Amino acid sequence: NSRGDVLLHVNPRVNDRQLILNAAPGGAWGAEERHPWRIPRGDQFTLIIMVAEQGFKVKNSANGESA
């Protein structure tokens, strides 16, 4: 929209072995949430993003971990 809202930014940083989540409501970035990324480079996975009343839940199919 015209305000630049980003509801959810998902950034898997495989080299850093972290999954970074962030949002920019009103165009201003919030604090990053950092979660361990235990999926080896080259492995296939599915990232599942669920919308809940309290926010988002992110889960991967490789090991079932939630962020």
Side-chain angles (χ1 to χ4, degrees), residues 8-63:
L8 178 64
H9 177 77
V10 179
N11 185 353
R13 295 183 187 168
V14 179
N15 289 338
D16 296 335
R17 301 185 58 82
Q18 294 186 353
L19 176 66
I20 311 299
L21 305 176
N22 205 341
W29 288 103
E32 292 182 340
E33 286 185 28
R34 295 174 174 261
H35 302 273
W37 183 260
R38 296 184 179 96
I39 302 171
R41 178 179 289 283
D43 280 11
Q44 291 186 359
F45 65 92
T46 300
L47 202 57
I48 302 162
I49 300 171
M50 297 169 279
V51 180
E53 192 171 313
Q54 304 83 2
F56 295 97
K57 287 189 170 201
V58 179
K59 193 173 192 174
N60 72 66
S61 65
N63 56 20

